[in-house]
């Protein structure tokens, strides 16, 4: 039976706004920062192929599951799973999985805000021409100097978190919808400008070959990272898409809309690589630089190619916009949940949650500077640093949170949501909410949600733990 529930937070004005919102949630640092450097590290075309397969077979079914759960309940993720589980005659404890997802979103936001703050500083410094004619070592030294200054990082971290909090505090229509109507078209315009510039570098085909040339023996190397990045890129597994689904109009087709969002997000990821690698090759640099690609390799490249200053500013504005649009989607699920549970005004809930994320983000800030020298305790002469899990782990605080969220909590959250939709809600409820006219298409979608996506997540997750 169809539901006609209404969200207490409001709703999107149209299907198109949901597409903008969900794409804004999905298109972030994962698409513009992580995807290009992971393509470089894990073998170009082999990684791209595995990533696309993970998006189609795992990412899209999980995204559909999240969206239909959100729209059917019209509530925040934890309350959504609790309500729908009780309606289906199951335990309300399913809500714990969604609550864990919302906490994961806040953990991601805590370091997301720090990295987003870096992009704000780079807009200014690239615009001033600070990287013109500077050597790669000089750019690396600049980045090292920046992250070694805790107060400098705290300042940018605070500004970025403040921008996100203000947007959320204004509500669904005045805050989220109004900002996304501006941010997302701006993001695509900036991406097209950057891609157009890459076509003039003389190295565009070299970049295409790097991205799409296929090396079969490298497929297994990128399997685990590709699935983890598919979750990170689509922003599934934490409830962001679920809460956006709660604001979705009843008339919109979930399947068609979600597939459209996934295609847009994947398209932006591919565009980012196609735009950035030619610039890297034009500057004579190595595209396999890993996480330093955005803050070390590219600033040097922009400082040593024609019109690099202008294009560098365009790029880092693009990064900031993408990070901002994703950040607000990470904060919204817990804000919505606490508003529903406590009846406290949205502004106050947003303030306190933002403060908690900001405070926890100080751990990421200090892991690059102050905590590198601090000892947690000394055991038989072996120092265990505060920013490590042990003497041999090599993970700083930032690395621990990134690994824990993207490699463990996101897949587990996605598994919880897709199993809930496929097995707890039941076939009838899913069919009613999806409103798919074709029986064959519905059967395929339900099969992917019920069997393929959960089994795929479990296999890759088990292989990751074994590794």
């Amino acid at each position: 039976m169809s539901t006609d529930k209404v969200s207490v937070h409001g709703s999107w004005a149209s299907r198109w706004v949901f597409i903008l919102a969900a794409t804004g949630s999905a298109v972030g640092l994962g698409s513009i920062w992580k995807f290009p450097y992971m393509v470089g590290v894990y073998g170009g075309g082999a990684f791209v192929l595995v990533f696309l397969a993970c998006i189609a077979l795992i990412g899209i079914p999980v995204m559909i599951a999240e969206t239909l759960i959100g729209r059917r309940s019209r509530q925040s993720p934890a309350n959504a799973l609790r309500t729908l589980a009780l309606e289906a005659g199951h335990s309300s404890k399913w809500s714990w999985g969604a609550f864990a997802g919302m906490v994961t979103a806040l953990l991601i936001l805590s370091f997301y805000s720090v990295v987003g703050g870096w992009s704000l500083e780079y807009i200014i410094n690239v615009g001033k021409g600070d990287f013109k004619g500077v050597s790669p070592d000089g750019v690396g030294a600049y980045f090292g100097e920046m992250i070694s200054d805790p107060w400098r990082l705290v300042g940018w971290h605070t500004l970025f978190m403040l921008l996100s909090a203000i947007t959320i505090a204004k509500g669904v229509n005045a805050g989220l919808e109004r900002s996304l109507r501006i941010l997302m078209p701006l993001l695509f315009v900036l991406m097209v400008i950057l891609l157009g510039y890459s076509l003039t570098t003389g190295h565009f085909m070299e970049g295409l070959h790097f991205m799409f040339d296929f090396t079969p023996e490298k497929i297994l190397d990128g399997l685990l990272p590709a699935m983890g990045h598919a979750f990170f890129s689509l922003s599934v597994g934490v409830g962001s898409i679920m809460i956006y689904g709660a604001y979705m109009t009843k008339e919109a087709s979930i399947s068609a809309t979600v597939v459209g969002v996934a295609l847009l997000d994947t398209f932006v990821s591919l565009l980012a690589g196609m735009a950035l690698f030619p610039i890297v090759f034009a500057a004579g640099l190595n595209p396999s630089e890993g996480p330093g690609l955005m803050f070390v390799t590219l600033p040097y490249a922009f400082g040593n190619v024609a019109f690099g200053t202008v294009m560098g500013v365009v790029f880092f504005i693009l990064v900031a916009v993408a990070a901002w649009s994703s950040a607000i989607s990470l904060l919204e699920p817990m804000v919505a949940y606490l508003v529903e549970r406590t009846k406290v005004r949205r502004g106050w809930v947003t303030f306190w949650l933002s403060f908690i994320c900001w405070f926890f983000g100080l751990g990421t800030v200090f892991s690059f500077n102050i905590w590198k020298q601090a000892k947690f305790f000394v055991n038989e002469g072996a120092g265990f640093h505060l920013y490590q899990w042990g003497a041999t782990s090599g993970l700083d605080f930032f690395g621990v949170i990134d690994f824990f969220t993207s490699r463990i909590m996101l897949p587990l959250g996605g598994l919880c949501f897709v199993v809930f939709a496929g097995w707890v809600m039941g076939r009838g409820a899913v069919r009613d909410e999806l409103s798919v006219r074709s029986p064959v298409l519905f059967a395929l979608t339900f099969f992917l949600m019920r069997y393929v996506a959960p089994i795929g997540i479990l296999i890759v997750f088990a292989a990751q733990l074994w590794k």
Side-chain angles (χ1 to χ4, degrees):
M1 184 176 63
S2 180
T3 63
D4 56 357
K5 298 174 182 175
V6 178
S7 170
V8 298
H9 309 286
S11 61
W12 305 122
S14 66
R15 171 176 175 266
W16 173 242
V17 177
F18 172 80
I19 292 176
L20 285 180
T23 305
S25 174
V27 175
L29 293 179
S31 300
I32 297 173
W33 169 43
K34 252 189 165 183
F35 181 78
Y37 89 66
M38 292 183 81
V39 170
V41 170
Y42 293 107
F47 176 83
V48 172
L49 181 65
V50 174
F51 173 74
L52 293 177
C54 288
I55 290 286
L57 299 177
I58 299 176
I60 288 178
V62 174
M63 201 173 189
I64 289 175
E66 279 203 44
T67 306
L68 71 89
I69 291 170
R71 191 172 73 174
R72 191 162 186 84
S73 66
R74 300 294 183 185
Q75 297 179 77
S76 61
N79 285 335
L81 264 65
R82 180 181 183 277
T83 299
L84 295 181
L86 291 174
E87 287 180 359
H90 292 273
S91 171
S92 62
K93 291 181 180 179
W94 277 97
S95 63
W96 294 2
F99 190 83
M102 296 189 300
V103 172
T104 301
L106 297 183
L107 290 175
I108 294 174
L109 179 57
S110 73
F111 73 76
Y112 215 90
S113 176
V114 176
V115 179
W118 297 351
S119 67
L120 297 178
E121 171 158 338
Y122 268 68
I123 292 172
I124 296 173
N125 291 301
V126 171
K128 286 162 48 181
D130 287 354
F131 301 112
K132 275 189 175 180
V134 178
S135 68
D137 289 341
V139 179
Y142 174 86
F143 180 70
E145 178 189 351
M146 181 186 76
I147 64 173
S148 66
D149 184 345
W151 302 116
R152 189 169 165 186
L153 295 190
V154 168
W156 290 113
H157 168 47
T158 303
L159 177 59
F160 187 88
M161 186 63 73
L162 186 61
L163 291 173
S164 303
I166 290 173
T167 304
I168 290 290
K170 289 184 177 181
V172 174
N173 301 113
L176 293 171
E177 185 172 317
R178 186 173 298 174
S179 62
L180 290 167
R181 283 180 181 271
I182 298 171
L183 292 178
M184 294 316 297
L186 176 61
L187 185 147
F188 282 103
V189 168
L190 293 173
M191 183 64 77
V192 170
I193 292 173
L194 200 62
L195 181 64
Y197 173 73
S198 293
L199 289 168
T200 70
T201 62
H203 293 265
F204 188 74
M205 293 308 299
E206 189 177 357
L208 286 185
H209 283 298
F210 177 77
M211 282 192 67
F212 297 111
D213 282 355
F214 183 63
T215 309
E217 57 267 23
K218 292 187 177 182
I219 286 183
L220 292 179
D221 293 340
L223 179 60
L224 301 180
M227 193 198 76
H229 185 63
F231 276 83
F232 192 93
S233 179
L234 289 179
S235 196
V236 294
V238 296
S240 296
I241 298 300
M242 192 183 299
I243 193 63
Y244 280 6
Y247 308 150
M248 188 180 183
T249 59
K250 183 64 180 176
E251 296 74 24
S253 167
I254 290 178
S255 298
T257 304
V258 165
V259 170
V261 170
L263 289 175
L264 278 174
D265 173 64
T266 305
F267 181 62
V268 169
S269 295
L270 295 174
L271 278 185
M274 292 163 63
L276 298 181
F277 286 126
I279 299 172
V280 172
F281 286 124
L285 300 174
N286 179 6
S288 304
E289 289 297 325
L293 177 69
M294 187 162 78
F295 293 108
V296 178
T297 306
L298 284 171
Y300 169 77
F302 286 126
N304 290 273
V305 296
F307 305 105
T309 297
V310 175
M311 289 301 105
V313 171
V314 168
F315 172 72
F316 282 105
I317 291 176
L318 171 67
V319 171
V321 168
W324 188 9
S325 64
S326 290
I328 59 180
S329 74
L330 293 169
L331 189 57
E332 176 65 16
M334 189 64 86
V335 168
Y337 172 76
L338 291 179
V339 168
E340 291 169 4
R341 297 290 290 182
T342 66
K343 306 303 179 184
V344 175
R345 288 196 309 174
R346 185 181 184 89
W348 279 110
V349 170
T350 303
F351 170 79
W352 285 111
L353 280 179
S354 300
F355 176 77
I356 291 170
C357 286
W358 174 87
F359 183 78
F360 207 80
L362 296 180
T364 293
V365 170
F366 296 155
S367 69
F368 295 115
N369 36 72
I370 296 174
W371 286 355
K372 277 193 173 183
Q373 304 303 323
K375 295 292 183 67
F376 187 57
F377 61 86
V378 177
N379 182 19
E380 297 181 356
F384 288 81
H385 292 271
L386 183 63
Y387 67 96
Q388 289 185 337
W389 269 359
T392 61
S393 72
L395 289 175
D396 58 16
F397 186 91
F398 174 36
V400 169
I401 299 300
D402 184 29
F403 179 86
F404 177 71
T405 54
S406 65
R407 299 291 184 92
I408 297 177
M409 293 307 296
L410 288 183
L412 287 181
L415 180 64
C416 171
F417 298 149
V418 78
V419 168
F420 184 87
W423 294 93
V424 177
M425 287 180 62
R427 190 183 187 94
V430 172
R431 181 191 288 112
D432 176 59
E433 202 59 45
L434 287 181
S435 301
V436 177
R437 295 181 180 179
S438 168
V440 175
L441 186 57
F442 170 76
L444 175 61
T445 303
F446 195 67
F447 179 78
L448 288 173
M449 286 173 48
R450 202 169 201 189
Y451 298 104
V452 176
I455 292 172
I457 293 171
L458 287 173
I459 290 174
V460 179
F461 187 69
Q464 177 174 264
L465 292 180
W466 176 263
K467 182 179 179 181

